[in-house]
Amino acid sequence: MRFIHIADIHLGADPYIGSSRKEKREKEIWTSLERVLEVCESKHVEMLLIAGDLFHRQPLRRELKELDYLFSKLTMTEVVIIAGNHDYLKRDSYYRTFQWSKNVHMILDREIQCVEFPAYSLAIYGMSYDTKQITEECYCDAFAQRRQPYEILLAHGGDDSHIPIKKENLLGLGYDYIAMGHIHKPQIICPDKIAYAGALEPIDKNDTGVHGYIYGEITTKGCRIRFVPFAMRSYIHQTIEVNPSMTEHELKETVAKVIDEKGKENIYKIILDGMRDPEISYNVDTLDPYGNVIEITDQTRPAYQFDKLKEANKGNILGAFVAELEQYPENSMEHQVLCEGVRALMETRRG
């Protein structure tokens, strides 16, 4: 029996990814899910396991209709879904009343429930969130009941506010595989036994690294899984070292070169570090050559020659600033503030 395990798709999310691609990103998340369904069909996958947060917020009825249509086109795949903390089962949630196609099975209960597939000798267990937060350890006694020869648990959580989970407890539950959701970074908790699929697509600027899905097979020899990179884009945090000779035009060219090398399709947070010419204050608004930089942080320090400044300004306020500045480490807030004071005094003199 072959399965694909996905989680944290967050349909309906509108993550900001830069001026030139903002309007496309919400559609891309839907497209990525459609691509997974194409893989299910082409690889004759029997089970698609969705471990929570299929939607980023409460789904609209029309969205469920669109989604169900996509699922209904699967000719060999059964779909099993649980709700996570983002798309939890509100009292008036459309999840509660929606009529899915016959190959779609959603667990609509806060308590552990089971869906059986005798044709595959398989039982799948899980529960759905009915509130935004659940602080209890809901899986600690969710033991496999041996209704079928092979059994899988869908679980969503892993932090203090969203079902705390202990690895050692999960290992003792007796499942062939535990498909996890909520943590956006893919993680193999126990080889071939427990894994977070991670977010199918990066949703937030801090969702760095690869994203995709888990492909697995269960046979008489046991379960085997592997992570498959699949996301259309990646969020990349890139540090660029600045030196005192670098002009703003040169810096912009450097940013463009880095993006060319790492991929224009990706989304960037740029961190400027190093020492800059004291005469220059970079205008970060001009450093986005392709419209896919969502944040630029300037951590550069002015490359003042403090010894010469102090010697040349004995007895005046500039010399006093420099003397005070030398008492603090370079990376301290006090040092940075005093550096700004030195820069302001220098500009006043030039004026």
Side-chain angles (χ1 to χ4, degrees):
M1 190 276 296
R2 289 151 294 199
F3 64 85
I4 283 179
H5 161 204
I6 58 176
D8 300 284
I9 298 91
H10 290 277
L11 298 174
D14 184 21
Y16 183 67
I17 69 163
S19 57
S20 69
R21 294 184 172 91
K22 184 180 187 301
E23 295 181 0
K24 299 178 182 179
R25 186 56 177 161
E26 184 176 353
K27 294 179 181 178
E28 286 179 350
I29 295 172
W30 277 87
T31 299
S32 196
L33 177 60
E34 291 180 50
R35 291 169 58 230
V36 169
L37 302 185
E38 291 170 1
V39 174
C40 288
E41 194 72 6
S42 65
K43 291 187 177 294
H44 299 176
V45 170
E46 285 84 4
M47 292 288 157
L48 175 61
L49 311 175
I50 303 178
D53 285 353
L54 175 55
F55 282 87
H56 189 63
R57 34 76 181 150
Q58 293 297 307
L60 304 176
R61 185 178 291 279
R62 63 174 174 79
E63 292 173 321
L64 292 179
K65 288 181 179 179
E66 293 292 338
L67 185 60
D68 185 59
Y69 172 73
L70 297 175
F71 288 153
S72 72
K73 293 168 63 179
L74 295 168
T75 61
M76 293 159 284
T77 307
E78 303 284 342
V79 182
V80 184
I81 308 168
I82 61 172
N85 57 293
H86 277 267
D87 57 352
Y88 68 98
L89 302 175
K90 288 182 68 174
R91 182 174 298 180
D92 58 351
S93 170
Y94 288 120
Y95 273 149
R96 294 187 180 274
T97 56
F98 188 77
Q99 296 297 309
W100 296 96
S101 296
K102 63 180 181 179
N103 67 321
V104 182
H105 315 269
M106 184 163 191
I107 295 175
L108 296 170
D109 204 300
R110 167 73 174 260
E111 303 299 322
I112 298 292
Q113 302 296 317
C114 177
V115 183
E116 295 187 60
F117 302 93
Y120 304 118
S121 301
L122 176 68
I124 297 178
Y125 299 77
M127 56 159 282
S128 283
Y129 280 61
D130 60 358
T131 60
K132 289 183 179 181
Q133 295 185 339
I134 300 177
T135 57
E136 298 88 7
E137 294 184 30
C138 299
Y139 304 114
C140 57
D141 57 356
F143 296 98
Q145 298 174 22
R146 290 303 158 208
R147 297 189 184 188
Q148 294 290 338
Y150 307 114
E151 300 195 305
I152 291 174
L153 174 67
L154 298 187
H156 190 91
D159 61 44
D160 290 342
S161 299
H162 305 95
I163 308 185
I165 293 171
K166 296 178 181 178
K167 172 184 172 182
E168 56 270 23
N169 289 346
L170 294 180
L171 285 171
L173 295 177
Y175 292 97
D176 296 277
Y177 179 64
I178 298 179
M180 304 288 293
H182 183 61
I183 305 300
H184 284 198
K185 183 177 181 178
Q187 301 175 42
I188 305 298
I189 304 300
C190 182
D192 297 320
K193 280 289 187 182
I194 308 171
Y196 281 98
L200 183 62
E201 288 279 338
I203 303 300
D204 180 82
K205 66 183 179 182
N206 294 316
D207 284 352
T208 55
V210 294
H211 289 81
Y213 63 83
I214 299 286
Y215 177 82
E217 295 184 7
I218 295 179
T219 68
T220 54
K221 295 180 181 179
C223 181
R224 294 288 181 269
I225 64 169
R226 61 184 174 87
F227 176 76
V228 180
F230 197 70
M232 299 173 72
R233 307 185 191 282
S234 294
Y235 281 84
I236 296 176
H237 292 188
Q238 181 66 43
T239 299
I240 293 179
E241 288 293 327
V242 171
N243 60 64
S245 67
M246 185 175 282
T247 65
E248 187 168 306
H249 279 88
E250 184 181 356
L251 177 56
K252 185 173 182 178
E253 290 174 357
T254 302
V255 171
K257 182 179 179 181
V258 167
I259 293 175
D260 287 339
E261 291 173 352
K262 293 185 177 290
K264 294 179 183 177
E265 75 279 5
N266 296 318
I267 310 152
Y268 294 85
K269 174 182 176 180
I270 302 295
I271 302 101
L272 306 179
D273 204 358
M275 306 296 290
R276 70 175 187 277
D277 184 337
E279 302 283 331
I280 291 177
S281 181
Y282 296 121
N283 180 5
V284 296
D285 293 336
T286 68
L287 301 179
D288 183 6
Y290 303 117
N292 57 349
V293 176
I294 58 170
E295 184 177 326
I296 298 177
T297 302
D298 188 354
Q299 299 178 351
T300 60
R301 285 93 58 205
Y304 290 114
Q305 294 181 304
F306 292 116
D307 290 343
K308 292 183 178 179
L309 277 176
K310 186 168 69 172
E311 183 65 27
N313 292 276
K314 285 181 178 179
N316 63 31
I317 190 171
L318 179 56
F321 255 85
V322 174
E324 179 73 11
L325 182 148
E326 290 178 335
Q327 299 179 32
Y328 298 101
E330 278 193 13
N331 293 327
S332 68
M333 181 62 70
E334 292 85 355
H335 187 92
Q336 294 176 33
V337 169
L338 288 166
C339 277
E340 286 302 310
V342 169
R343 183 178 68 82
L345 287 169
M346 297 284 285
E347 289 179 354
T348 300
R349 283 188 166 193
R350 282 195 293 271

